[in-house]
Amino acid sequence: MTFIQVPVLVLLIALLFYYIPKIPEPKLLPIVEGFFQPEFMEVALVFRRNMESGKEQGASFAVYHDGDIVVDMWAGYADRDSMRRWRNETTTLAFGCTKGVMAFLVAIMVERGLLNYSKPVADYWQDFGVNGKGEITLEMLLNHQAGLPYLKEAISLRDLESDIQHVDKSIFSQSPVWKPGTLHGYHEWTFGIILDRLIQKQDPKHRTVSEIFQEEIAKPLDVEFDMHLKSGDVHKTARIYQPPVLQSILQAGTNLPYLKMYIKSFFSSDSLVSKVWNSVKESVLPVLVFNDPEIREISLSSYSGTGTSRGLAKLFSVLANSGLYEGNRILRRETTDKMKELANGDTCFITGLPKKFSLGMQVFTNPYGETTFCHAGYGGQMVVADPSNKLSIAYLTSYLSIYRNGDDPRFLDLQRAVYSNLQKYIERRKKMTEV
C-alpha cells in the first residue's frame, strides 16, 4: 500500500465511524458569558456558535487593543461530568503557550544582563557543555535549533521535584542529533527541561521559574497566569478532556501533515517524533493524566502554564505595545522588534508542521499579512501579539483537539472575526477622542 493510499483509507474509516448513529447523549446548555465592545459582536456570535455546535465545551477567549481589554468571554463547563460551569476566574492548562511566556521571562533576564542570547549555555552552566553541546547558544535553544529534541534517558515529570540529579544526568549525557544551529525541530519537552534549570542557576536568588515569573512579572502586571497550578487553586481550574478517538482520526485524516506525523509516531519507534514523545513518561499516557493535581503542580515551562485567556492576552499586550504597560517600559522596543525577526522558518524537521521561531516565539502573519509573534499549544491553545495593530489575542480550551500549531479552526474563526471588525472599533475610538 502506498503512502498516499494510507491516509485515504484512514479517512474513509474515520468518516464511516463518524457518521454511524450513536446513542444520544444529554446535550449540555451552551452557556456563554462575558464582555465585548459592540464592534466585536461577531466574535461573540462565533464563540456561541462553537458552543452550540458542540465544537466547544469549555473555553475562554480574550482580546486586548492598545492596552485595553475589548473582548473577555468564557463558555461551557470547567467539568462536564459534574456540570461545574466555566466562570470568570476559571483557569486551564496552556500547554505549549507556556513556551511563549518563558520567552518573555528570558527577554527580561537578558535585558538585566543575567543572560545573553549569543552566549553558549555552557558559559553559564559548565556541565551542560559535555558531549558536543559546548557551542549551543541560548538563542539556538530558544529557537529549537540546539539539536536536543529528546532525551535518551527518559524522565518522569515527578523527577523534576524528587530526583533532579537524574534530570541533570539525562541532559548531560545527551548529544546533539544534528549540528546545532543548522536545523530547527520542535524541542517539545527539552525546551523547558533545560531552560528551567538554566534560569534557576542564573537567577541571583536561585528561585524557581514559577517564583521568578510571579514576583517579576505576574504580580507587578496583575496577570492571571502562573507557570503551574498551585495546590490552593485546584478548585478554579478546568478539567481537560481528550479528543474522542474518532474525532481525532477525522481531523488527522483531513490534514496531511498531522496524519504523517501521527503515522510516524505510531509505526516507527526510531522516528524523531516517537523519541521526542518518549522523553517524558507522562507524554505517552492518555492526556487525562494532566488532570492529576500533583502533576499540574509541577512547573515545567514546556507545557505547565495555567491561567485565564484574559491573563495571557494581558501579558502579550505588553509585547503588542512594543514593551509598554500602562506607560511603563517593561521591555525595550529593540527586544520586541527582534522577536519579529525570523531566526528560522518553514518546515519543522521533527513534526513536519510549518513552524517559524524567533527568540523563543513563533512567528506568524495576521489576516492582513502583517508579522505577529505568538505561541501555540497542544489542543488548540493559542496566544498572539500583533505590534502592527497593538493587538493581543488568547484562546484557551479544555476540550482538546489534535491541533498544536495555531491552526485549530475554532481559534481561526474567532481570530478572523476579531480582525474583520477591528477597524470599526478603532474608528469609533478615534471619533471619541476627537470630540
Side-chain angles (χ1 to χ4, degrees):
M1 185 176 292
T2 67
F3 191 81
I4 296 298
Q5 290 173 320
V6 171
V8 171
L9 179 61
V10 171
L11 177 58
L12 288 174
I13 294 172
L15 287 170
L16 175 65
F17 279 96
Y18 187 79
Y19 287 108
I20 289 176
K22 293 174 281 189
I23 298 173
E25 298 178 352
K27 197 168 184 178
L28 301 176
L29 290 174
I31 300 168
V32 181
E33 299 179 288
F35 147 85
F36 56 89
Q37 291 289 349
E39 289 80 8
F40 295 104
M41 170 69 82
E42 184 185 348
V43 177
L45 292 175
V46 170
F47 199 44
R48 183 175 183 84
R49 279 199 299 271
N50 284 345
M51 276 297 303
E52 291 176 337
S53 67
K55 294 178 183 177
E56 197 68 82
Q57 296 196 17
S60 59
F61 184 73
V63 181
Y64 273 77
H65 178 262
D66 199 12
D68 294 325
I69 190 163
V70 295
V71 178
D72 180 18
M73 301 195 68
W74 54 94
Y77 298 83
D79 184 341
R80 293 183 306 176
D81 298 331
S82 67
M83 298 189 70
R84 173 166 59 94
R85 289 168 55 175
W86 197 294
R87 304 288 184 182
N88 182 34
E89 72 279 4
T90 298
T91 65
T92 196
L93 189 59
F95 288 101
C97 293
T98 318
K99 294 182 177 74
V101 177
M102 176 55 123
F104 189 112
L105 176 57
V106 170
I108 286 180
M109 294 190 72
V110 168
E111 290 198 353
R112 293 180 182 178
L114 297 171
L115 292 169
N116 186 309
Y117 289 121
S118 301
K119 277 192 174 185
V121 173
D123 282 10
Y124 306 108
W125 187 8
Q126 187 175 359
D127 292 338
F128 174 83
V130 299
N131 292 315
K133 300 190 291 294
E135 301 303 314
I136 295 173
T137 64
L138 174 60
E139 188 168 3
M140 289 177 192
L141 188 58
L142 285 167
N143 291 333
H144 305 265
Q145 296 173 310
L148 303 172
Y150 64 85
L151 297 173
K152 292 179 182 176
E153 296 185 36
I155 68 166
S156 166
L157 292 174
R158 298 178 192 274
D159 293 338
L160 296 168
E161 293 192 340
S162 63
D163 193 0
I164 200 65
Q165 290 78 18
H166 172 58
V167 176
D168 285 350
K169 181 184 175 184
S170 297
I171 295 171
F172 301 156
S173 65
Q174 187 69 39
S175 299
V177 298
W178 64 74
K179 184 179 179 181
T182 61
L183 294 171
H184 84 281
Y186 194 46
H187 290 40
E188 185 165 344
W189 291 102
T190 51
F191 177 94
I193 292 170
I194 297 170
L195 270 175
D196 291 10
R197 296 289 288 141
L198 172 64
I199 296 299
Q200 188 171 9
K201 286 177 178 294
Q202 281 305 109
D203 177 58
K205 300 178 184 177
H206 302 296
R207 294 168 293 179
T208 65
V209 167
S210 181
E211 289 170 339
I212 298 170
F213 177 76
Q214 278 299 310
E215 294 172 18
E216 305 295 338
I217 300 176
K219 289 180 180 177
L221 303 183
D222 191 26
V223 168
E224 299 165 287
F225 199 86
D226 203 343
M227 299 301 275
H228 68 149
L229 175 64
K230 294 177 182 175
S231 59
D233 291 336
V234 171
H235 67 286
K236 294 198 319 186
T237 204
R239 289 181 58 81
I240 58 173
Y241 290 88
Q242 193 165 15
V245 174
L246 297 178
Q247 176 182 306
S248 297
I249 293 173
L250 182 62
Q251 289 173 347
T254 55
N255 194 313
L256 190 57
Y258 281 100
L259 183 60
K260 288 181 178 179
M261 180 179 71
Y262 284 114
I263 288 175
K264 285 180 182 177
S265 69
F266 292 146
F267 296 106
S268 175
S269 59
D270 288 330
S271 68
L272 283 175
V273 172
S274 292
K275 290 178 178 178
V276 167
W277 291 351
N278 280 285
S279 292
V280 172
K281 295 174 182 178
E282 289 81 3
S283 178
V284 294
L285 298 175
V287 73
L288 299 183
V289 72
F290 296 108
N291 283 323
D292 181 348
E294 290 184 2
I295 294 292
R296 291 286 302 278
E297 197 172 350
I298 298 168
S299 178
L300 179 62
S301 64
S302 292
Y303 86 100
S304 65
T306 299
T308 64
S309 289
R310 178 175 56 252
L312 197 52
K314 185 176 186 179
L315 178 64
F316 269 62
S317 74
V318 175
L319 302 174
N321 286 278
S322 302
L324 286 175
Y325 171 72
E326 294 184 350
N328 299 310
R329 183 149 295 283
I330 309 300
L331 287 171
R332 291 195 293 266
R333 183 173 190 130
E334 308 91 86
T335 301
T336 58
D337 284 348
K338 193 174 181 184
M339 284 179 173
K340 294 191 298 180
E341 296 175 5
L342 194 60
N344 56 50
D346 298 328
T347 304
C348 169
F349 184 63
I350 295 168
T351 64
L353 301 177
K355 287 184 182 287
K356 302 176 182 181
F357 291 98
S358 181
L359 299 185
M361 295 288 184
Q362 285 186 269
V363 179
F364 286 82
T365 54
N366 64 24
Y368 301 161
E370 299 160 329
T371 300
T372 62
F373 47 99
C374 327
H375 216 294
Y378 171 70
Q381 327 291 37
M382 186 63 172
V383 61
V384 177
D386 178 355
S388 299
N389 296 283
K390 296 185 177 182
L391 189 74
S392 64
I393 304 171
Y395 167 73
L396 295 175
T397 179
S398 61
Y399 191 55
L400 307 179
S401 66
I402 68 163
Y403 300 102
R404 54 178 68 213
N405 201 35
D407 48 357
D408 191 304
R410 296 171 296 181
F411 165 75
L412 293 177
D413 288 345
L414 288 165
Q415 180 180 243
R416 276 191 290 270
V418 169
Y419 279 97
S420 68
N421 292 281
L422 178 61
Q423 291 306 314
K424 296 177 186 175
Y425 171 74
I426 293 174
E427 288 168 9
R428 178 170 69 85
R429 294 285 294 177
K430 185 178 179 182
K431 289 178 180 177
M432 289 174 64
T433 57
E434 291 174 350
V435 173

